[in-house]
Each structure stands twice: as structure tokens, then as C-alpha cells.
Amino acid sequence: MVDTSISKLSAGLRAARPFAILAAASSVVATLGGCGSTLSDMTTASVTNYQAANLFAPAGYSISQNTDGSLHITAAGSPSTPADRLSKIAMAAAADYGDQQHQKTFTATPPQTTFKCGKTKTTDKGKVIDIKPIDLRVVSIDVTYGRDGIAPAARNSKETAAQLKSELASESVPPDVQAAATQEVAQQCGRS
């Protein structure tokens, strides 16, 4: 005789999981609503950490393919995130990706910094509404990978990823540096 109680329990838990996720998301939205927070507050309130960017959290790194086969890696950050931290995030993402793809070494172009200025108005049912813009500092690099490490500027993927991710996790950005970075983004976006 086979005991099916474990499999029934497992099936019940799988069926209940979507409801638990929905309930958790609802409580987060309710909490944010009660505090007066918005999505833009969540994405721009602090210094950006090492994480992948997505539609709901644009601060973080993203990887895309260039036409020449190299990769284009960007690290977008909140206004209080300095460019040197975003450069580390981009390099860490490049190294981590290379390690995951079993590429021993990589080379990167010098980081380029740009700014993405968010909208200040939107339209809802024909009515213009003022919104808090989501402004971002963006650092980008182009990366090529190689297994042999012939290029003199080649860096070890695995070692670089471990070192930079450790540095990013342990470092803190002083308040005066955050304030200066925020002011720079405000000036670049014409908000000062």
C-alpha cells in the first residue's frame, strides 16, 4: 500500500503557493500605500546594489549583444549612486557573466557615463498629472571574452567577479558623496 499523504500535501502546497504570493504582494502594496511611498521612491531612494535590472526596478545591471559579437553591459543607478560604484557593478556583471559562460578572461572598454531623465508629467483620463521623475545615472561598457588571455588588459573572469561582488557588498557610500552624486544628476536633468 502506497502512502499518498505526502504527495497530496505537496500538491496542496503547490496550489496554495500562488495565493500566498498574491497575499504577500498585496500586503506590500498596502504597506506602501499607507506610507505614501511610490515605485519611484523604491527605485531611487538609496544607493544601488549589485542586482539585475528589470521593468519594475530599473536600477541594476543589464546585458545585451552588440552586432560585432561583444556584449554591451549597462549599470543604471539611483541619483545617489556615484559613477565609480556603477562602474564596479558593470564590471562585476561582465566578470560574473563570463565566469558563468566558462570564459576565463575578458576585456572591457573604459566606462561611459550618461543620464536618463524621467518624465515629470503623465496623462490619466485626459487629465495631466505631475509625477516624481525616475532619474538614473547609467554607466556602460563593451566587453569581449577570450579563453586564452592573450590581451595584456585581459582580466580573470572568476577572480574579478568574486572580488568586485565582495567589494560592492561591503562598501558603503558616505552621505556627502551621495548628496554630491544626487546634485550632479539633478543638474544634468535640469532639476536644480
Side-chain angles (χ1 to χ4, degrees), residues 119-133:
K119 293 193 245 179
T120 58
K121 298 191 183 299
T122 190
T123 307
D124 183 33
K125 298 178 184 174
K127 187 176 184 181
V128 177
I129 301 170
D130 291 331
I131 58 172
K132 182 178 179 182

Side-chain angles (χ1 to χ4, degrees), residues 65-182:
Q65 186 86 29
N66 288 326
T67 56
D68 65 358
S70 64
L71 292 183
H72 184 71
I73 300 177
T74 60
S78 65
S80 60
T81 306
D84 61 338
R85 182 170 176 85
L86 291 174
S87 294
K88 278 186 189 179
I89 290 172
M91 288 294 282
D96 202 20
Y97 181 83
D99 185 40
Q100 291 171 12
Q101 299 300 313
H102 307 291
Q103 298 291 330
K104 291 184 180 181
T105 61
F106 72 99
T107 56
T109 60
Q112 302 296 314
T113 302
T114 58
F115 300 89
K116 182 178 178 185
C117 303
K119 293 193 245 179
T120 58
K121 298 191 183 299
T122 190
T123 307
D124 183 33
K125 298 178 184 174
K127 187 176 184 181
V128 177
I129 301 170
D130 291 331
I131 58 172
K132 182 178 179 182
I134 299 176
D135 298 332
L136 300 169
R137 180 188 320 271
V138 181
V139 171
S140 61
I141 57 174
D142 290 318
V143 180
T144 55
Y145 295 95
R147 294 180 186 269
D148 51 12
I150 294 173
R155 299 175 74 165
N156 182 289
S157 297
K158 187 173 192 163
E159 291 171 6
T160 303
Q163 175 194 352
L164 290 176
K165 287 171 31 178
S166 174
E167 285 178 23
L168 288 164
S170 65
E171 78 181 4
S172 63
V173 180
D176 60 324
V177 174
Q178 290 184 43
T182 301

